[in-house]
Amino acid sequence: MKKRIWNVALGELLDVEGVLAEDVVTRTGAVILPAGLSLGALRTTRPEIVSQLLRHGITHVRVKSVPNITAGEFRAALGSLRPPVAELNPLLTRIIVHQFGAFYEHADSRFLRDEGLRSLMGLAGRLPRELRRTPQITLSLVEGGSEAVDTPHIHAVNVALLSGYIAQRIPFAPPAFVETAVVGGLLHDLGKALFALRESSVAAGAERVFNTHPLLGETLLRDAGVTNPHILGAVRSHHEAWDGNGSPDGLRGEEIPLAARVVAVANVFDNLMSAESSRCDQAVNQVIGLGSSGLDSRVVRALLSSIGLYPPGTVVVLSDERVGIVLETRERDLLCPRVLVCIDSLNRRIPFETVKIHREGSVYIRTALDDFSRRKLPPLREALGGA
């Protein structure tokens, strides 16, 4: 079976599906777009590309089709692997999200609010144990929910998981730092619960929410009897910036509590991943770009060493034209992950097989196509097994 390759006029380039069949180059040989680049990604990241190509006298590009792979097929394949790839218990995630919803709903009641906060902190205490048995954290992150109201609570869980995962890789961290980072990550946006109660306050502007919710969150924690300075610092200072241009206190560099620096990286990374049509590998590159200004570069390196340049769940094209999905990364070799191949070099669907990329080998990752890293959040009844 031959691969389907055809010429596409620039006027149609952003309307078709597929990947570039060859490098798009200028008359002098400079590469503008690499072979294997997904046109879907191009629509999102380079909407101005058509006019740029026209300026170089390019009117057509060569495109090839790629058989569709679904996230459901990938998850099914994960379940069949031996040994299995460990993932976070979805029931725990669903319960935390549900508890967050209850906290937001009763945030105007001091008694119920404090009870809800203690419950959330108790649940957060279970996450470090889950992290220790879940080496590929991006496969346990969650997207979407059964209701739109779940979205901020899902973000809180993702930031908690990422914060704990990064904290495990911070050298010379204080005792119990992973637990501190997890709790700080889970509760970093706690102050937004007070805005959710008052729509008029939200309508007053996102800037007000952004600038004040860290202070409100710290206040809620203190009111509930939380005294751990690392947790309080993580919540208050997660929007401080390494270059001193953050808020609420304008702290700079090492003045920012370490837990807050970890939560900041996790927060930015999950927000970037949540952007429409964004991929996990794109979020990694954007976070790296912030490592010299807004974020602590040491913490950014810890994130990179944790998940690699192509995090687990990334759909990739290999140099021999096979297509697969990254299963796991190795801390000391970020460009050489294990890949679950599902499309062969002749563009045919094949049974899933695992391939380990070797630095000395001839096969390498050429580009990323899609991202299946985050899973859908099941409704609570489904997570409980239909009970």
Side-chain angles (χ1 to χ4, degrees), residues 166-174 177 258 298-299 301-302 305 331:
I166 296 169
Q168 291 175 338
R169 287 154 179 81
I170 299 292
F172 310 113
F177 183 61
L258 179 58
R298 179 173 63 141
V299 179
R301 286 195 298 272
S305 71
E331 187 168 340

Side-chain angles (χ1 to χ4, degrees), residues 4-301:
R4 186 184 173 211
I5 300 178
W6 72 102
N7 287 323
V8 175
L10 289 190
E12 303 172 359
L13 182 62
L14 301 183
D15 297 321
V16 299
E17 298 296 334
V19 299
L20 295 177
E22 57 191 30
D23 291 342
V24 179
V25 299
T26 66
R27 292 188 180 92
T28 59
V31 176
I32 303 175
L33 298 171
L37 182 65
S38 165
L39 298 185
L42 202 59
R43 282 192 292 272
T44 303
T45 60
R46 302 281 297 277
E48 80 293 344
I49 192 61
V50 171
S51 58
Q52 182 182 350
L53 294 176
L54 286 172
R55 286 197 298 271
H56 287 284
I58 298 169
T59 59
H60 292 75
V61 298
R62 300 270 284 169
V63 172
K64 70 176 181 179
S65 62
V66 175
N68 184 44
I69 313 167
T70 69
E73 289 174 318
F74 171 55
R75 291 288 168 179
L78 280 183
S80 66
L81 291 176
R82 294 294 180 270
V85 176
E87 299 178 76
L88 181 72
N89 182 352
L91 177 58
L92 179 57
T93 303
R94 179 71 261 189
I95 290 174
I96 294 174
V97 169
H98 179 79
Q99 185 61 44
F100 250 115
F103 177 86
Y104 268 57
E105 184 178 351
H106 300 294
D108 56 344
S109 165
R110 173 72 181 268
F111 174 76
L112 294 177
R113 187 176 67 214
D114 290 353
E115 285 294 307
L117 187 53
R118 282 189 282 271
S119 176
L120 283 170
M121 293 186 68
L123 290 168
R126 296 179 56 184
L127 290 177
R129 295 193 296 272
E130 289 286 322
L131 283 171
R132 283 190 283 270
R133 69 168 194 83
T134 312
Q136 311 303 325
I137 194 59
T138 55
L139 297 179
S140 291
L141 301 181
V142 179
E143 67 173 0
S146 55
E147 300 180 15
V149 73
D150 284 338
T151 300
H153 317 323
I154 289 171
H155 172 65
V157 176
N158 286 345
V159 173
L161 293 173
L162 288 164
S163 296
Y165 199 65
I166 296 169
Q168 291 175 338
R169 287 154 179 81
I170 299 292
F172 310 113
F177 183 61
V178 173
E179 289 75 9
T180 296
V182 167
V183 175
L186 187 67
L187 304 179
H188 75 286
D189 279 344
L190 197 68
K192 290 182 179 180
L194 298 180
F195 285 100
L197 290 171
R198 302 168 178 84
E199 292 184 8
S200 59
S201 296
V202 176
E207 184 177 355
R208 180 183 176 191
V209 177
F210 181 87
N211 289 333
T212 59
H213 79 269
L215 298 174
L216 292 173
E218 181 193 23
T219 300
L220 290 175
L221 288 172
R222 290 186 183 278
D223 285 349
V226 177
T227 59
N228 185 314
H230 303 295
I231 295 175
L232 294 171
V235 172
R236 180 186 180 98
S237 301
H238 70 277
H239 280 309
E240 300 289 356
W242 187 256
D243 58 10
N245 291 319
S247 64
D249 302 307
L251 302 180
R252 178 188 299 271
E254 298 286 345
E255 296 173 348
I256 306 168
L258 179 58
R261 285 179 261 154
V262 169
V263 172
V265 171
N267 183 43
V268 169
F269 181 70
D270 189 65
N271 280 330
L272 290 170
M273 284 186 63
S274 300
E276 187 176 357
S277 301
S278 180
R279 297 194 314 261
C280 196
D281 64 296
Q282 294 170 331
V284 169
N285 287 323
Q286 289 175 277
V287 169
I288 291 172
L290 293 170
S292 60
S293 56
L295 302 174
D296 181 349
S297 59
R298 179 173 63 141
V299 179
V300 171
R301 286 195 298 272

Side-chain angles (χ1 to χ4, degrees), residues 357-376:
I357 306 298
H358 296 281
R359 182 173 291 277
E360 302 80 13
S362 59
V363 178
Y364 57 89
I365 293 176
R366 175 176 290 166
T367 189
L369 291 178
D370 208 339
D371 180 16
F372 295 157
S373 59
R374 301 201 296 177
R375 56 188 180 179
K376 293 289 185 182

Side-chain angles (χ1 to χ4, degrees), residues 299-310:
V299 179
V300 171
R301 286 195 298 272
L303 171 69
L304 182 60
S305 71
S306 304
I307 64 176
L309 292 172
Y310 298 101

